[in-house]
Amino acid sequence: MKPLKIGLLPLYVRLYDDHWPELRERVDAFHGTIAGELRGKGLDVVTVPPCRVKPEFEEAIARFERESVDAVVTLHLAYSPSLESIGALAATRLPLVVLDTTPTYEFGPSQLPDEIMYNHGIHGVQDMCNLLLRRGKTFQIEAGHWSRSDVLDRVVEGVRAARIADGMRTAKVGRLGRPFAGMGDFEVPADTLRKAIGIETVEFDLTEGRTPFAEITDGEIEEEIKSDRDRFEIGELDERLYWQSTAACLKVRHLTEQHGLTAFTVNFMDITRSSGLSCMPFLEAGKAMDRGVGYAGEGDVLTAALVGALLSVYPDASFAEMFCPDWEHNRVFVSHMGEMNLRVAAGKPALLEKAFPFTDADTPVAAYAAFRGGQAVYACLAPAKDDSFTLILSDVDMLDTQGLDRMPETIRGWFAPRLPVSEFLAAFSRHGGIHHGVIVYGDALSVLERFGELMGWKVVSIG
């Protein structure tokens, strides 16, 4: 995962430089302090000198665009007239996070009046935000003292949400085969996904004997199998099937690279001997997610795009489905045929042959493991009425597999929701949750709520 990168935009007023240039020593020092604090929180910070007039703001925003920052974080060092900055801020496609803070924590009657000059940026924030709203420019804002509150942590959350939103709006998803016949919950026309969200769907027809796949060399296959030895528990495999399965996976990998895909989805029913793939590329789905490429099953472009966007910030995220309720132990069993992000496996996955009776394709080799335990969010993006969407989020605890495990040849995991399972499942379907979702490890709920809000979706948190 690339480090989050911001452009830190300090706003100031030329009037003060003309009349009180001595203020700048302390003003610039505070600018440097905030830049250093944000770097200390893991951000790659692109800095520019304090901006006062239109050309300076335009030059700063142009630099941030060239540097491909994830967001512009504004910092008012004093009052700054909004008409100087608004043109550049409203025109850029870069997301904005407004940091509303000041150097001094206490400002009561006993405070020295000279401190006013260093701590009055809040009305510059108010001036600018009014203009942003009137120009239709979306922004996030976080207020608080820089060292006596969590405001900088909240800014970082805002940048994370901005990156995910950008990844969703610029998603390029390859669909191998047709959507699974009869599955309606995730079905959204490609032109609607493009207009409503920005997702580009690249369709690969596998049904007419035309193959979009490049040939794979024996050397590439041998190298991939060699790398698998360190990564997996490998038992008795049919050498021919393993070889063909590896070739199929590499064909899909080359296709994603050739077309610059951020995610892909495969309908296993369209994988036949005439499809260009000898077998279903289950193993590549897991490896792709580990590399940050999104995936979802059965031709689900929407969830594949969501997985890819989430992986840009949360590499420990995986496509999954809720399969079975465990009423007795108040948990939900999650699984899929043969796909999970290998990064979130508990221990080394086992490479096994997967029975495949659905088409005339060969038996594939897939990696099987249990999801590891830990704090997580179960996320689901559900199509709703009138081409709208609902992002359904649930704080859950992924549970370590304990005791007798009779499912070694299954992708398997269990999560405990914060509500009783009966209430959780009812609420999930009451809000239209679809049967495909994403497990996102970590304390991610707040960031994902922000992400949904930035996208303009209805956001529902269950539990």
Side-chain angles (χ1 to χ4, degrees):
M1 184 187 79
K2 296 187 303 181
L4 293 166
K5 180 188 286 190
I6 66 164
L8 182 59
L9 182 68
L11 292 90
Y12 200 57
V13 57
R14 187 164 63 183
L15 177 71
Y16 291 179
D17 279 342
D18 291 342
H19 292 276
W20 303 295
E22 67 275 10
L23 297 178
R24 282 294 292 274
E25 181 178 358
R26 185 171 156 190
V27 164
D28 289 342
F30 181 59
H31 173 210
T33 295
I34 296 300
E37 291 289 323
L38 291 171
R39 288 191 180 101
K41 294 185 179 297
L43 299 183
D44 181 357
V45 181
V46 180
T47 57
V48 295
C51 298
R52 307 161 302 169
V53 293
K54 288 181 182 180
E56 294 172 350
F57 286 105
E58 291 167 353
E59 182 179 345
I61 294 298
R63 181 182 174 194
F64 296 155
E65 290 173 342
R66 289 194 303 272
E67 297 259 5
S68 298
V69 302
D70 291 300
V72 175
V73 176
T74 66
L75 172 66
H76 276 76
L77 299 172
Y79 174 73
S80 181
S82 61
L83 289 177
E84 300 291 349
S85 61
I86 192 60
L89 292 176
T92 185
R93 65 172 296 275
L94 295 173
L96 299 182
V97 182
V98 179
L99 170 55
D100 192 359
T101 192
T102 56
T104 303
Y105 182 61
E106 186 275 334
F107 214 97
S110 63
Q111 185 56 263
L112 296 172
D114 288 351
E115 286 297 296
I116 294 173
M117 298 305 295
Y118 300 103
N119 289 279
H120 66 281
I122 61 172
H123 60 280
V125 170
Q126 293 158 5
D127 186 353
M128 182 186 73
C129 289
N130 176 272
L131 268 289
L132 290 171
L133 290 169
R134 289 161 65 184
R135 298 289 181 96
K137 176 65 176 179
T138 300
F139 62 93
Q140 301 177 72
I141 181 166
E142 299 299 337
H145 189 260
W146 65 276
S147 69
R148 302 288 289 271
S149 77
D150 64 348
V151 67
L152 297 184
D153 293 322
R154 286 183 272 125
V155 166
V156 174
E157 287 191 347
V159 178
R160 290 192 181 112
R163 176 182 278 188
I164 298 170
D166 183 68
M168 197 71 191
R169 294 189 181 108
T170 60
K172 186 177 183 181
V173 183
R175 193 184 73 202
L176 280 65
R178 302 157 294 185
F180 192 97
M183 284 186 184
D185 56 356
F186 60 70
E187 185 178 11
V188 181
D191 61 343
T192 300
L193 290 175
R194 185 66 179 262
K195 292 175 184 176
I197 298 177
I199 299 169
E200 178 183 352
T201 304
V202 183
E203 299 179 7
F204 299 101
D205 187 352
L206 306 182
T207 62
E208 299 181 8
R210 298 192 302 268
T211 177
F213 305 107
E215 289 301 316
I216 303 300
T217 68
D218 288 353
E220 290 176 289
I221 297 172
E222 290 169 354
E223 189 65 27
E224 188 72 9
I225 289 175
K226 181 180 177 181
S227 69
D228 285 350
R229 294 194 186 105
D230 294 328
R231 191 172 195 179
F232 303 108
E233 296 289 348
I234 303 177
E236 293 294 325
L237 295 176
D238 182 289
E239 187 175 328
R240 181 187 66 85
L241 293 178
Y242 187 21
W243 186 273
Q244 290 184 345
S245 192
T246 303
C249 290
L250 289 174
K251 285 182 177 181
V252 173
R253 186 179 308 172
H254 284 259
L255 190 73
T256 63
E257 294 169 351
Q258 176 188 350
H259 291 272
L261 303 179
T262 63
F264 69 95
T265 179
V266 185
N267 178 3
F268 65 89
M269 293 299 293
D270 280 348
I271 304 301
T272 66
R273 290 180 181 175
S274 62
S275 67
L277 297 175
S278 63
C279 62
M280 176 65 190
F282 287 123
L283 185 54
E284 180 57 21
K287 290 179 176 180
M289 286 186 277
D290 190 10
R291 297 195 310 273
V293 177
Y295 175 82
E298 286 95 39
D300 181 357
V301 171
L302 180 64
T303 303
L306 177 65
V307 174
L310 292 170
L311 286 169
S312 71
V313 169
Y314 295 102
D316 290 356
S318 181
F319 170 69
E321 285 186 14
M322 287 187 268
F323 261 68
C324 307
D326 182 352
W327 307 110
E328 180 177 359
H329 300 100
N330 198 52
R331 58 191 180 183
V332 177
F333 172 64
V334 292
S335 185
H336 210 251
M337 289 179 68
E339 311 103 311
M340 69 179 293
N341 185 345
L342 300 173
R343 183 186 292 263
V344 302
K348 273 190 177 184
L351 282 192
L352 301 167
E353 294 170 19
K354 171 72 175 177
F356 195 81
F358 311 105
T359 74
D360 64 358
D362 285 330
T363 300
V365 170
Y368 292 99
F371 285 87
R372 72 168 185 263
Q375 181 182 8
V377 173
Y378 189 85
C380 169
L381 183 55
K385 288 180 62 176
D386 302 322
D387 298 337
S388 64
F389 299 86
T390 302
L391 182 64
I392 303 171
L393 305 170
S394 306
D395 257 334
V396 300
D397 293 312
M398 295 298 297
L399 305 174
D400 289 311
T401 303
Q402 297 178 340
L404 178 63
D405 182 1
R406 291 175 173 163
M407 302 186 188
E409 298 183 9
T410 304
I411 300 292
R412 59 206 185 277
W414 287 262
F415 70 71
R418 302 300 163 84
L419 297 176
V421 162
S422 56
E423 294 180 26
F424 166 77
L425 292 175
F428 186 81
S429 290
R430 192 176 295 121
H431 291 292
I434 68 174
H435 77 286
H436 284 173
V438 193
I439 295 169
V440 185
Y441 281 84
D443 183 10
L445 183 65
S446 177
V447 172
L448 298 191
E449 288 174 335
R450 289 167 177 261
F451 156 59
E453 292 164 1
L454 285 175
M455 297 300 300
W457 300 329
K458 180 181 178 181
V459 178
V460 174
S461 294
I462 300 176

